[in-house]
Amino acid sequence: MHRSSESIGALAAALAKAQAELVNPEKTLTAVLKSPFPREEAKEFRYASLASGLDIVRKTLGQQEIAVLQSTQIETSSGQVLLTTLLAHSSGEWISSQWPVCSTRDTDAPHRMGTALTYARRYALFALVGIAGEDDLDAEVLYHDQVVVVAGRKSKWARLHGLKFADLAGERWILPPADTMPGSLAAELFNAGGAEMPRAPVTTLSMHLCCQLAERAKFVTLLPVSVLRFGNYNKSLKILPIKLRPQRRPVGIVTLKNRTLSPAARIFIDSARRTAQQMNYSPARSAN
């Protein structure tokens, strides 16, 4: 679970600068995973210690006036020990994540709880600041996407050409919440287009709701081109001719290394690959 202060603009800017300098800690330790299947061999993977990661994170984030704090608490309702990892900026802004560590019953076995806590601290910290602590992920890019400005085909804007963000300043926008990653992307696009972020009467992360309101309620919104194409919205929605800064955002499949995929996961991945190949997907070719 993630929490944050009402605004994270200064923290996000400082964290972006820190992440440009962050490097992944050296993976000096090795773990062995025994397979539950008799015919499969045990698999090894390398990982970095919590201490090596903390050294890098504290030094790099400290230069941007970001402090790192980790604390535990007992949640009596669930019977769990929870770990909170907090990034606090000198501006007073903060963001935190909460991870379950172990059952409160494990407090009777300090060694077991300590092992679980170290594991949780490492994963929570590395995930929050954006570094990799182990060789545990495989990524396969299926296609590259981009965000476009969209309105219903019956909208007055669908018939005009040479539009700019400023032309739509007074329109009803439906946008992602400002404190989310899609919201940050939207702000970057407006800034690059020389316009201020509009006050959206509706904020949501639901692509379906964005499509429905743009089509039926005369809203204007930002959507990935893939939503229009894969969601079959080309007949009801139109990409408006607003020039945005170049984007190339990969969409793909991420899997855990050294893990056996379930039959259902393999079927899904094969289907996704075939769909991407059959579509010969390219945002620029999407029907407008």
Side-chain angles (χ1 to χ4, degrees), residues 146-190:
Q146 64 185 30
V147 172
V148 291
V149 182
V150 173
R153 286 197 172 269
K154 295 181 180 179
S155 166
K156 63 181 180 180
W157 302 110
R159 301 185 293 272
L160 301 179
H161 301 280
L163 294 174
K164 299 180 180 179
F165 269 130
D167 298 324
L168 305 176
E171 290 302 297
R172 294 194 301 172
W173 282 86
I174 175 170
L175 294 171
D179 59 349
T180 63
M181 185 177 295
S184 298
L185 169 61
E188 290 175 8
L189 292 176
F190 277 98

Side-chain angles (χ1 to χ4, degrees), residues 2 15 19 22-25 48-62 66-71 83-88 95-99 116-133:
H2 288 79
L15 185 57
Q19 287 178 327
L22 275 174
V23 295
N24 293 329
S49 68
L50 172 63
S52 63
L54 275 173
D55 287 342
I56 294 172
V57 170
R58 285 171 175 163
K59 179 179 178 180
T60 308
L61 268 63
I66 302 173
V68 180
L69 301 101
Q70 290 186 302
S71 61
L83 168 71
T84 298
T85 302
L86 176 77
L87 299 184
I95 186 171
S96 70
S97 69
Q98 199 168 64
W99 286 59
L117 181 58
T118 299
Y119 182 89
R121 288 185 65 196
R122 184 168 62 89
Y123 263 84
L125 176 64
F126 291 5
L128 195 57
V129 301
I131 59 176

Side-chain angles (χ1 to χ4, degrees), residues 111-144:
H111 178 73
R112 186 190 310 163
M113 187 184 74
T115 300
L117 181 58
T118 299
Y119 182 89
R121 288 185 65 196
R122 184 168 62 89
Y123 263 84
L125 176 64
F126 291 5
L128 195 57
V129 301
I131 59 176
E134 60 185 63
D135 297 330
D136 63 346
L137 294 178
D138 273 326
E140 175 186 352
V141 176
L142 296 179
Y143 59 87
H144 288 84

Side-chain angles (χ1 to χ4, degrees), residues 142-143 229-230 274-283 285:
L142 296 179
Y143 59 87
R229 186 157 187 175
F230 286 100
R274 287 195 301 270
T275 300
Q277 291 172 354
Q278 292 169 3
M279 296 287 288
N280 192 22
Y281 185 76
S282 171
R285 296 180 183 178

Side-chain angles (χ1 to χ4, degrees), residues 193-220:
E196 293 184 1
M197 189 85 159
R199 295 192 175 214
V202 178
T203 58
T204 181
L205 292 175
S206 169
M207 299 292 183
H208 178 71
L209 181 59
C210 288
C211 292
Q212 293 298 313
L213 289 181
E215 176 187 357
R216 302 177 184 179
K218 297 183 179 179
F219 276 79
V220 182

Side-chain angles (χ1 to χ4, degrees), residues 5 7-16 65-66 87-89 91 93-95:
S5 54
S7 171
I8 60 169
L11 170 59
L15 185 57
E65 300 183 337
I66 302 173
L87 299 184
H89 187 243
S91 63
E93 296 178 350
W94 57 273
I95 186 171

